[in-house]
Amino acid sequence: MLHLKEYLPELNQGLALDVGTRFGEFAFSLAEVMPEGSRIIGLDSDTRTVEQAREKNGDKGIEFQVGEGAHMEFADGTFEVVALSNTLHHIEDYDAVLHEMLRVLRPGGWLVINEMFSDGQNRPQQVHFAQHTLEAKLDMLSGGFQRPTWKKEEILAILSRLPLQEVRTAELLEEPEMDRKLETKNAKLVELVEKKAAGKPEYEALLEEARQIQKDCAAYGIQRCTQLLYLGKKK
């Protein structure tokens, strides 16, 4: 969990929305900073993911809903906070989603974007970047959509176009337990390539890539990439 209290210190009670929530990882960070009596909604386009999130975390105060980030059914100005965490690079038309997030955010409410970046990372973090890039290739090969992680300045260039005021940025690290989860995923990289790429022309190259990443992980360790936190108030 990322601790956001120092970056969002004065919030009004109300609704907060986490777009592309998956199992609610970032939604829990929002719950930590929202005043007592607020409601936290986690929105995801995948029905099965929402079902799993409800089974896994439905008793933890997050309301999981199915919905498309580019076409939300909420009224204008519904939310005090609208967030998107480590999802921007998964969205083909991210301008449409960002525009919709601003629509459902009330004037004076906070837009929160959290996105890992690729440059300026230490050696264990470079292992994570390589692993994430391989996962992106496999996702695309399987019919999904995922870009490789952007550089920090590329993310800032996208977000600086938004009509926000009082913009704040910070660089954050996840708690160490997230690194342990990366180690578990690393151990299954070859298995993941075999599952998603077997029989395809890219298979051998991807298999070698997975093995090299595992070797690097054994040599240097793995640490989650530093994330850019970008916050601004809607005008």
Side-chain angles (χ1 to χ4, degrees):
M1 180 186 294
L2 293 171
H3 300 292
L4 305 177
K5 285 185 178 180
E6 65 180 288
Y7 308 105
L8 291 168
E10 299 176 359
L11 295 175
N12 297 316
Q13 183 191 69
L15 288 169
L17 176 67
D18 182 35
V19 179
T21 196
R22 293 189 73 251
F23 302 120
E25 293 91 341
F26 198 75
F28 296 128
S29 295
L30 294 180
E32 184 185 42
V33 299
M34 290 298 293
E36 186 175 351
S38 297
R39 291 170 55 202
I40 317 298
I41 296 174
L43 189 75
D44 201 281
S45 61
D46 186 75
T47 301
R48 180 58 184 151
T49 296
V50 171
E51 290 173 353
Q52 291 174 335
R54 287 170 178 165
E55 293 170 4
K56 183 179 179 181
N57 294 318
D59 61 344
K60 296 179 181 178
I62 309 299
E63 302 173 31
F64 292 99
Q65 298 184 16
V66 178
E68 293 287 342
H71 305 283
M72 291 188 269
E73 297 181 358
F74 306 112
D76 294 0
T78 298
F79 295 94
E80 294 291 328
V81 178
V82 180
L84 184 76
S85 180
N86 285 314
T87 303
L88 194 65
H89 63 283
H90 286 268
I91 303 171
E92 191 164 4
D93 187 359
Y94 51 76
D95 283 330
V97 173
L98 292 170
H99 176 79
E100 186 72 346
M101 290 172 66
L102 284 170
R103 181 187 68 78
V104 302
L105 182 65
R106 73 163 182 84
W110 285 96
L111 185 77
V112 180
I113 307 295
N114 182 60
E115 186 79 5
M116 60 180 272
F117 54 92
S118 61
D119 55 322
Q121 308 288 350
N122 64 35
R123 193 63 185 88
Q125 290 175 318
Q126 291 172 27
V127 176
H128 176 216
F129 170 65
Q131 180 166 308
H132 187 272
T133 300
L134 175 60
E135 291 168 346
K137 291 177 182 178
L138 293 171
D139 194 19
M140 294 288 282
L141 203 60
S142 303
F145 184 85
Q146 185 177 172
R147 295 178 181 87
T149 307
W150 281 298
K151 295 180 179 179
K152 179 181 174 181
E153 290 302 320
E154 292 173 325
I155 300 170
L156 289 170
I158 292 169
L159 300 180
S160 64
R161 302 195 299 264
L162 300 176
L164 299 172
Q165 57 190 3
E166 298 184 34
V167 171
R168 309 170 183 175
T169 63
E171 294 184 12
L172 301 180
L173 285 173
E174 291 276 11
E175 294 178 340
E177 67 181 63
M178 296 299 292
D179 299 335
R180 291 190 285 273
K181 291 180 180 180
L182 289 176
E183 291 175 358
T184 300
K185 291 178 71 175
N186 185 274
K188 299 178 180 179
L189 272 187
V190 167
E191 180 182 336
L192 186 65
V193 171
E194 291 172 343
K195 178 181 178 181
K196 292 193 172 185
K200 297 182 179 179
E202 303 92 340
Y203 175 65
E204 291 298 335
L206 291 171
L207 194 61
E208 179 57 32
E209 189 173 339
R211 288 171 176 156
Q212 183 59 54
I213 294 168
Q214 287 181 326
K215 290 178 182 176
D216 290 342
C217 184
Y220 307 110
I222 188 167
Q223 181 184 6
R224 189 168 179 82
C225 287
T226 304
Q227 298 170 83
L228 174 66
L229 182 68
Y230 189 98
L231 313 95
K233 278 187 176 181
K234 180 178 176 181
K235 295 180 179 179

